[in-house]
Amino acid sequence: QVQLVESGGGLVQPGGSLRLSCAAAGSGFSIHNMGWYRQAPGNQRELVATITRGGSTNYADSVKDRFTISGDNAKNTVYLQMNSLKPEDTAVYYCYLHVITGVYWGQGTQVTVSS
């Protein structure tokens, strides 16, 4: 059994920064990749950023050059540094973990960008 524990969401003004963390707890799993999706009210869940165990990254066009995903394989943890935040970044951010047996999701953390 794998559990994902997210932290770091909150309220920030436009132009501000936040850092999200997601730690995978459990045993006997091998990570293919981890990352973040987000879902705003009335919208579908969308990809934000992913990172493979080898360190390859992928970003949604809307967050390129503003967000940075990184990982710590030893801690089974992935981070999302979000800079230059915009009101349209407001959403619930979900961490995911892709392992050989399937995909696990975190509980979600709210990010609100507002003045």
Side-chain angles (χ1 to χ4, degrees):
Q1 186 69 18
V2 179
Q3 288 187 326
L4 300 179
V5 180
E6 302 165 352
S7 61
L11 173 65
V12 64
Q13 292 186 341
S17 298
L18 283 175
R19 188 190 194 212
L20 306 182
S21 299
C22 174
S27 62
F29 61 90
S30 178
I31 297 173
H32 285 323
N33 58 71
M34 291 183 75
W36 298 88
Y37 279 68
R38 67 186 181 186
Q39 187 168 18
N43 291 354
Q44 291 186 332
R45 193 172 294 190
E46 62 176 3
L47 173 71
V48 178
T50 65
I51 185 168
T52 68
R53 188 169 185 83
S56 297
T57 59
N58 183 47
Y59 296 92
D61 288 342
S62 59
V63 306
K64 281 180 181 177
D65 301 323
R66 298 189 298 121
F67 291 10
T68 302
I69 189 170
S70 60
D72 185 333
N73 289 336
K75 296 181 179 180
N76 291 329
T77 299
V78 64
Y79 307 96
L80 186 68
Q81 178 66 43
M82 304 185 294
N83 299 327
S84 302
L85 282 160
K86 304 175 181 180
E88 51 263 44
D89 294 317
T90 295
V92 178
Y93 284 68
Y94 296 91
C95 172
Y96 83 91
L97 167 67
H98 182 198
V99 300
I100 194 169
T101 55
V103 178
Y104 295 88
W105 291 94
Q107 77 282 3
T109 185
Q110 177 70 46
V111 171
T112 302
V113 185
S114 175
S115 55

